[in-house]
Each structure stands twice: as C-alpha cells, then as structure tokens.
Amino acid sequence: MKATIFSNKDVIGTTNLEVGDFSMGGLYGDFYPNDNYFSKIQKYVWKFWSSKNTDFKEWNSLKFNIQLENEMFLMPIGGITFDDVEELKHDQKRIDLAGVDTKIIEDFIINNTRTFLEEPWESISIEQKLAFENELKKEINSNHILAGSSFSAFSIKSGCNNVLFEINSKKIEQQFALVHLTWKGKNDDKNFPKIELFKDFDEFKYLRMFPDKIEWEY
C-alpha cells in the first residue's frame, strides 16, 4: 500500500508499506525521501540513532504522520523510525511502524478492498488533522475520560464539528472516540467535549457511519 509521510505539515517522502510482524502491528517499506527530509529531518534521524540518551521531546516535536493512498491516517502507537544513519547515508532508506491496529492492517493493507469512508463522513488533510488534535488537547481537562490518552484524528462528518479520533488509553478499552469539538477551549465540566466510544472502526461504521449515510441520502 502506497503511503505519504509527513513531518508536521511537510511531506517528507513516500513508501510502499508491507506487513512485518502482524501480531505487533508492524509495517515497513523502502523510504523515498524528498528535499524536505534532507533539509529538515535527516539530522534529527542521525541524532536519534547516534545519541545514547534520545531527546524524545525533540523527536516527538517532529510530529510524523503516515497517510495511506486511500487518505486514511495510521496511528502507530509503537512509534515510527527511519533506517538512516550518517555512516551509510547513501544506502536505501527504510521506514518502520509499530503498533498499528491489526484490524486496520488486515482490512486496508492486506486485503485493500474495503471502502474507507461513506458520505457524509470525509477524510481529512494533514492541516485538519493537526488542528483537530491540538484543539482536543485544549478542550479536555484533567478529569475528562480522554485525559492521558494519545489520539489521532481520523475523519470528520461533513458540515459539523464531529470528529472521529483513533485513541490509545490505559483507562479505555475502546479504540475510537467520536468527539464534538467546541472550539471554545477548556471547559471545567468533565463531560465536555461530548464523546461517544466505539470498540473499533467496524463498530463505528455500523452504528454511526452507515446510519448517517442513509439519512444523508434520503
């Protein structure tokens, strides 16, 4: 499956992902960097591999994202790494992802036959993704059920502020959260922003996306 790699809003290269250790949500592929990678990112990759004590705050600030050719963004909770060291800088580079949802891998990478979204649900751009994630961080307080979770914006319902996030939390078993963003900043009420949790993407599709499609069409 072809994919585009971003750092913040910049495209830094492409890859064709293959399945590695499926049980661990592992994907890999040859990485084809562009000028943005060489001018802005490579020095941090070299530093990542050469340093004894990795500065994860610096590394995480690069905000790597992977978007498949069907416009789905992946959430590799185990991280993203690039096989690129200064001593072998002319060798073919590789990208590795860990902790991708195995159901997503099976449905959209191994089989690659399933439709990603149905109207009125839409895919998002990298600019939207970063904006939605920043806003959710602003809106949740320390008592909210999503506090302490990691999350990745996944899609949006057309014409409203209902955004689907893939989530990873020690407190929550479900993997997806539908959030109504308020764009008003933090609220002291632990129940805002309002959310609805789904076990996986399939549950979201059958309980929300398909009913929304019927309502949209009729």
Side-chain angles (χ1 to χ4, degrees), residues 157-210:
K157 186 177 179 180
S158 178
C160 67
N161 290 317
N162 290 340
V163 179
L164 183 67
F165 289 84
E166 189 171 359
I167 60 173
N168 180 54
S169 171
K170 295 179 180 179
K171 301 181 295 182
I172 304 172
E173 294 183 358
Q174 292 90 338
Q175 293 180 314
F176 284 85
L178 178 57
V179 183
H180 180 73
L181 294 177
T182 66
W183 299 95
K184 295 179 181 179
K186 207 174 294 294
N187 190 307
D188 291 334
D189 190 330
K190 68 178 182 179
N191 296 315
F192 285 91
K194 293 181 179 180
I195 72 166
E196 185 177 355
L197 296 170
F198 299 92
K199 179 180 68 175
D200 52 26
F201 187 48
D202 277 351
E203 184 172 75
F204 164 78
K205 288 194 296 184
Y206 286 110
L207 294 184
R208 287 301 303 266
M209 188 170 74
F210 292 156

Coordinates of all heavy atoms in Angstrom, one line a residue, residues 157-210:
K157 N -17.3 14.5 10.1 CA -18.6 14.5 9.4 C -18.8 15.8 8.8 O -18.6 16.9 9.4 CB -19.7 14.2 10.5 CG -21.1 14.1 9.9 CD -22.1 13.7 10.9 CE -23.5 13.6 10.3 NZ -24.5 13.3 11.3
S158 N -19.2 15.8 7.5 CA -19.4 17.0 6.7 C -20.4 17.9 7.4 O -21.4 17.5 7.8 CB -19.9 16.6 5.3 OG -20.1 17.8 4.6
G159 N -20.0 19.2 7.4 CA -20.9 20.2 7.9 C -21.1 20.4 9.4 O -21.9 21.1 9.8
C160 N -20.2 19.7 10.2 CA -20.3 19.9 11.6 C -18.9 19.6 12.2 O -18.0 19.3 11.6 CB -21.4 18.9 12.2 SG -20.9 17.2 12.1
N161 N -18.9 19.7 13.6 CA -17.6 19.6 14.3 C -17.5 18.2 15.0 O -16.8 18.1 16.0 CB -17.5 20.7 15.3 CG -17.3 22.0 14.7 OD1 -16.5 22.2 13.8 ND2 -17.9 23.1 15.2
N162 N -18.1 17.2 14.4 CA -18.0 15.8 14.9 C -16.8 15.2 14.2 O -16.8 15.0 13.0 CB -19.3 15.0 14.6 CG -20.4 15.5 15.4 OD1 -20.3 16.1 16.5 ND2 -21.6 15.2 15.0
V163 N -15.8 14.9 15.1 CA -14.5 14.4 14.5 C -14.3 13.0 15.2 O -14.4 12.8 16.4 CB -13.3 15.3 14.9 CG1 -12.0 14.7 14.3 CG2 -13.6 16.7 14.3
L164 N -13.9 12.0 14.3 CA -13.6 10.7 14.8 C -12.1 10.6 15.1 O -11.3 11.0 14.2 CB -14.0 9.6 13.8 CG -13.7 8.2 14.2 CD1 -14.7 7.8 15.4 CD2 -13.9 7.2 13.0
F165 N -11.7 10.2 16.3 CA -10.3 10.0 16.7 C -10.1 8.5 17.0 O -10.9 7.8 17.6 CB -10.0 10.8 17.9 CG -10.0 12.3 17.8 CD1 -11.2 13.0 17.9 CD2 -8.8 13.0 17.6 CE1 -11.1 14.4 17.7 CE2 -8.8 14.3 17.4 CZ -10.0 15.1 17.5
E166 N -8.9 8.1 16.5 CA -8.4 6.8 17.0 C -7.7 7.1 18.3 O -6.9 8.1 18.4 CB -7.4 6.2 16.0 CG -7.0 4.7 16.3 CD -6.3 4.1 15.2 OE1 -6.0 4.7 14.1 OE2 -5.9 2.9 15.4
I167 N -7.9 6.2 19.3 CA -7.3 6.5 20.6 C -6.5 5.4 21.2 O -6.8 4.2 20.8 CB -8.4 7.0 21.6 CG1 -9.5 5.8 21.8 CG2 -9.1 8.2 21.2 CD1 -10.5 6.1 22.9
N168 N -5.7 5.7 22.1 CA -5.0 4.6 22.9 C -4.9 5.1 24.3 O -4.4 6.2 24.6 CB -3.5 4.4 22.3 CG -2.8 3.4 23.1 OD1 -3.2 2.3 23.3 ND2 -1.6 3.7 23.6
S169 N -5.5 4.3 25.2 CA -5.6 4.7 26.6 C -5.5 3.5 27.5 O -6.1 2.4 27.2 CB -7.0 5.4 26.8 OG -7.2 5.7 28.2
K170 N -4.9 3.7 28.7 CA -4.9 2.6 29.7 C -6.2 2.5 30.4 O -6.5 1.5 31.0 CB -3.8 2.9 30.7 CG -2.3 2.9 30.1 CD -1.3 3.2 31.1 CE 0.1 3.1 30.5 NZ 1.2 3.4 31.5
K171 N -7.0 3.5 30.3 CA -8.3 3.5 31.0 C -9.5 3.1 30.2 O -10.5 2.8 30.7 CB -8.6 4.9 31.6 CG -7.6 5.5 32.5 CD -7.9 6.9 33.0 CE -8.0 7.9 31.9 NZ -8.3 9.3 32.4
I172 N -9.3 3.1 28.9 CA -10.4 2.9 27.9 C -10.1 1.7 27.0 O -9.1 1.6 26.4 CB -10.7 4.1 27.0 CG1 -10.9 5.4 27.9 CG2 -11.9 3.9 26.1 CD1 -10.9 6.7 27.1
E173 N -11.1 0.8 27.0 CA -10.9 -0.4 26.1 C -11.1 -0.1 24.6 O -10.5 -0.7 23.8 CB -11.8 -1.5 26.6 CG -11.5 -2.1 28.0 CD -12.4 -3.2 28.3 OE1 -13.3 -3.6 27.5 OE2 -12.2 -3.8 29.4
Q174 N -12.0 0.8 24.4 CA -12.4 1.1 23.0 C -11.3 1.8 22.3 O -10.4 2.4 22.9 CB -13.7 2.0 23.0 CG -14.9 1.3 23.5 CD -15.1 1.5 25.0 OE1 -14.2 1.7 25.7 NE2 -16.4 1.3 25.4
Q175 N -11.3 1.7 21.0 CA -10.2 2.2 20.1 C -10.5 3.5 19.4 O -9.6 4.1 18.8 CB -9.7 1.1 19.1 CG -9.1 -0.1 19.8 CD -8.7 -1.1 18.8 OE1 -9.4 -1.4 17.9 NE2 -7.4 -1.6 18.9
F176 N -11.8 3.9 19.4 CA -12.2 5.0 18.6 C -13.2 5.9 19.5 O -14.0 5.4 20.2 CB -12.9 4.7 17.3 CG -11.9 4.2 16.2 CD1 -11.5 2.9 16.2 CD2 -11.4 5.1 15.3 CE1 -10.6 2.5 15.2 CE2 -10.5 4.7 14.3 CZ -10.1 3.4 14.3
A177 N -13.0 7.2 19.3 CA -13.9 8.1 20.0 C -14.4 9.2 19.1 O -13.6 9.8 18.3 CB -13.1 8.8 21.2
L178 N -15.7 9.4 19.0 CA -16.3 10.4 18.3 C -16.5 11.6 19.2 O -17.1 11.5 20.2 CB -17.7 10.0 17.8 CG -18.5 11.0 17.0 CD1 -17.7 11.5 15.8 CD2 -19.8 10.3 16.5
V179 N -15.9 12.7 18.8 CA -15.8 13.9 19.7 C -16.5 15.1 19.0 O -16.2 15.4 17.8 CB -14.3 14.3 20.0 CG1 -14.3 15.5 21.0 CG2 -13.6 13.1 20.6
H180 N -17.3 15.8 19.7 CA -17.9 17.0 19.2 C -17.0 18.2 19.7 O -17.1 18.6 20.9 CB -19.3 17.2 19.7 CG -20.0 18.5 19.2 ND1 -20.3 18.7 17.9 CD2 -20.2 19.7 19.8 CE1 -20.8 19.9 17.7 NE2 -20.8 20.5 18.9
L181 N -16.1 18.7 18.9 CA -15.3 19.7 19.3 C -16.1 21.0 19.4 O -16.9 21.3 18.5 CB -14.1 19.9 18.2 CG -13.1 18.8 18.1 CD1 -12.1 19.0 17.0 CD2 -12.4 18.5 19.4
T182 N -15.8 21.8 20.4 CA -16.5 23.1 20.6 C -15.8 24.3 20.1 O -16.4 25.3 19.9 CB -16.7 23.3 22.1 OG1 -15.5 23.5 22.8 CG2 -17.4 22.1 22.8
W183 N -14.4 24.2 20.0 CA -13.6 25.3 19.6 C -13.7 26.5 20.5 O -13.6 27.7 20.2 CB -13.9 25.8 18.1 CG -13.6 24.7 17.2 CD1 -14.6 23.8 16.7 CD2 -12.4 24.3 16.6 NE1 -14.0 22.9 15.8 CE2 -12.7 23.1 15.7 CE3 -11.1 24.7 16.7 CZ2 -11.6 22.5 15.0 CZ3 -10.1 24.1 16.0 CH2 -10.4 23.0 15.2
K184 N -13.9 26.2 21.8 CA -14.1 27.2 22.8 C -13.0 27.0 23.9 O -13.1 27.7 25.0 CB -15.4 27.2 23.5 CG -16.6 27.5 22.5 CD -17.9 27.5 23.2 CE -19.1 27.8 22.2 NZ -20.4 27.7 22.9
G185 N -12.0 26.1 23.7 CA -11.0 25.9 24.7 C -11.5 25.0 25.8 O -12.5 24.3 25.7
K186 N -10.8 25.0 26.9 CA -11.0 24.1 28.0 C -12.3 24.4 28.8 O -12.7 25.6 28.9 CB -9.8 24.1 29.0 CG -9.7 22.8 29.8 CD -8.4 22.9 30.6 CE -7.2 22.9 29.8 NZ -7.0 21.6 29.0
N187 N -13.0 23.4 29.2 CA -14.3 23.5 30.0 C -14.1 22.8 31.3 O -13.5 21.7 31.3 CB -15.4 23.0 29.1 CG -16.8 23.3 29.7 OD1 -17.0 23.0 30.9 ND2 -17.7 23.8 28.9
D188 N -14.5 23.3 32.4 CA -14.4 22.7 33.7 C -15.2 21.5 33.8 O -15.0 20.6 34.7 CB -14.7 23.7 34.8 CG -13.7 24.8 34.9 OD1 -12.5 24.6 34.5 OD2 -14.0 25.9 35.4
D189 N -16.2 21.3 33.0 CA -17.1 20.1 33.1 C -16.4 18.9 32.5 O -15.9 18.9 31.4 CB -18.4 20.4 32.3 CG -19.5 19.4 32.6 OD1 -19.1 18.2 32.8 OD2 -20.7 19.7 32.5
K190 N -16.3 17.9 33.3 CA -15.6 16.7 32.8 C -16.3 16.0 31.7 O -15.7 15.1 31.0 CB -15.4 15.7 34.0 CG -16.7 15.0 34.5 CD -16.4 14.0 35.6 CE -17.7 13.4 36.1 NZ -17.4 12.4 37.2
N191 N -17.5 16.3 31.4 CA -18.3 15.7 30.3 C -18.2 16.4 29.0 O -18.8 16.0 28.0 CB -19.7 15.5 30.7 CG -19.9 14.6 31.9 OD1 -19.4 13.5 32.0 ND2 -20.7 15.1 32.9
F192 N -17.4 17.5 29.0 CA -17.2 18.2 27.7 C -15.7 18.2 27.4 O -14.9 18.4 28.2 CB -17.7 19.7 27.9 CG -19.2 19.8 27.9 CD1 -19.9 19.7 29.0 CD2 -19.9 19.9 26.7 CE1 -21.3 19.8 29.0 CE2 -21.3 20.0 26.6 CZ -22.0 19.9 27.8
P193 N -15.4 18.0 26.1 CA -16.3 17.9 25.0 C -17.0 16.5 25.0 O -16.5 15.5 25.6 CB -15.4 18.0 23.7 CG -14.1 17.5 24.2 CD -14.0 18.0 25.6
K194 N -18.2 16.5 24.5 CA -19.0 15.2 24.5 C -18.4 14.2 23.6 O -17.9 14.6 22.5 CB -20.4 15.5 24.0 CG -21.3 16.4 25.0 CD -22.7 16.6 24.5 CE -23.5 17.4 25.4 NZ -24.9 17.6 25.0
I195 N -18.4 13.0 24.0 CA -17.8 11.9 23.2 C -18.7 10.7 23.1 O -19.5 10.5 24.0 CB -16.4 11.5 23.7 CG1 -16.5 10.7 25.0 CG2 -15.5 12.7 23.8 CD1 -15.2 10.0 25.3
E196 N -18.4 9.8 22.1 CA -19.1 8.5 22.0 C -18.0 7.6 21.7 O -17.2 7.8 20.7 CB -20.2 8.6 21.0 CG -21.0 7.3 20.9 CD -22.1 7.4 19.8 OE1 -22.3 8.5 19.3 OE2 -22.7 6.4 19.6
L197 N -17.9 6.4 22.4 CA -16.8 5.5 22.2 C -17.2 4.3 21.4 O -18.4 3.9 21.5 CB -16.3 5.0 23.6 CG -15.6 6.1 24.5 CD1 -15.4 5.5 25.9 CD2 -14.3 6.6 23.9
F198 N -16.3 3.8 20.6 CA -16.6 2.6 19.7 C -15.4 1.6 19.9 O -14.3 2.0 19.9 CB -16.7 3.0 18.3 CG -17.8 4.0 18.0 CD1 -17.6 5.4 18.1 CD2 -19.1 3.6 17.8 CE1 -18.6 6.3 17.9 CE2 -20.1 4.5 17.6 CZ -19.9 5.8 17.6
K199 N -15.8 0.3 19.9 CA -14.8 -0.7 20.1 C -13.7 -0.7 19.0 O -12.6 -0.9 19.3 CB -15.5 -2.1 20.1 CG -14.6 -3.3 20.3 CD -15.4 -4.6 20.3 CE -16.0 -4.9 18.9 NZ -16.6 -6.2 18.9
D200 N -14.2 -0.5 17.8 CA -13.2 -0.5 16.7 C -13.9 0.3 15.5 O -15.0 0.8 15.6 CB -12.8 -1.9 16.2 CG -14.0 -2.8 16.0 OD1 -15.1 -2.3 15.7 OD2 -13.9 -4.1 16.1
F201 N -13.2 0.3 14.4 CA -13.7 1.1 13.3 C -15.0 0.5 12.7 O -15.9 1.2 12.2 CB -12.6 1.2 12.2 CG -13.0 2.1 11.1 CD1 -13.5 3.4 11.3 CD2 -12.8 1.7 9.7 CE1 -13.9 4.3 10.3 CE2 -13.1 2.6 8.7 CZ -13.7 3.8 8.9
D202 N -15.1 -0.9 12.7 CA -16.3 -1.5 12.2 C -17.5 -1.1 13.1 O -18.6 -0.9 12.5 CB -16.1 -3.1 12.3 CG -15.4 -3.6 11.1 OD1 -15.2 -2.8 10.1 OD2 -15.0 -4.8 11.1
E203 N -17.3 -1.1 14.4 CA -18.5 -0.7 15.2 C -18.9 0.7 14.9 O -20.1 1.0 14.8 CB -18.1 -0.8 16.7 CG -19.3 -0.6 17.6 CD -19.0 -0.9 19.1 OE1 -18.3 -0.1 19.7 OE2 -19.5 -1.9 19.5
F204 N -18.0 1.6 14.7 CA -18.3 3.0 14.3 C -19.1 3.0 13.0 O -20.1 3.7 12.9 CB -17.0 3.8 14.2 CG -17.3 5.1 13.4 CD1 -17.9 6.2 14.1 CD2 -16.9 5.2 12.1 CE1 -18.1 7.4 13.4 CE2 -17.1 6.4 11.4 CZ -17.7 7.5 12.0
K205 N -18.6 2.2 12.0 CA -19.3 2.2 10.7 C -20.7 1.8 10.8 O -21.6 2.4 10.2 CB -18.5 1.3 9.7 CG -17.2 1.9 9.3 CD -16.6 1.2 8.1 CE -16.3 -0.2 8.4 NZ -15.6 -0.9 7.2
Y206 N -20.9 0.7 11.6 CA -22.3 0.1 11.6 C -23.2 0.9 12.5 O -24.4 1.0 12.3 CB -22.2 -1.3 12.1 CG -21.7 -2.3 11.0 CD1 -20.5 -2.9 11.1 CD2 -22.4 -2.5 9.8 CE1 -20.0 -3.7 10.1 CE2 -22.0 -3.3 8.8 CZ -20.7 -3.9 9.0 OH -20.2 -4.7 8.0
L207 N -22.7 1.6 13.6 CA -23.5 2.3 14.5 C -23.7 3.8 14.1 O -24.7 4.4 14.4 CB -23.0 2.2 15.9 CG -23.0 0.8 16.5 CD1 -22.5 0.9 18.0 CD2 -24.4 0.2 16.5
R208 N -22.7 4.3 13.4 CA -22.8 5.8 13.1 C -22.7 6.1 11.6 O -23.5 6.8 11.0 CB -21.8 6.5 13.9 CG -22.1 6.7 15.3 CD -23.4 7.4 15.6 NE -23.5 8.7 15.0 CZ -23.2 9.8 15.6 NH1 -22.8 9.8 16.9 NH2 -23.3 11.0 15.0
M209 N -21.7 5.5 10.9 CA -21.4 6.0 9.6 C -22.5 5.5 8.6 O -23.0 6.3 7.8 CB -20.1 5.5 9.1 CG -19.7 6.1 7.7 SD -18.0 5.7 7.2 CE -18.1 4.0 6.8
F210 N -22.9 4.3 8.6 CA -23.9 3.8 7.7 C -25.3 4.4 8.0 O -26.0 4.8 7.0 CB -24.0 2.2 7.8 CG -22.8 1.6 7.2 CD1 -22.5 0.3 7.7 CD2 -22.0 2.2 6.3 CE1 -21.3 -0.4 7.1 CE2 -20.8 1.5 5.8 CZ -20.5 0.3 6.2

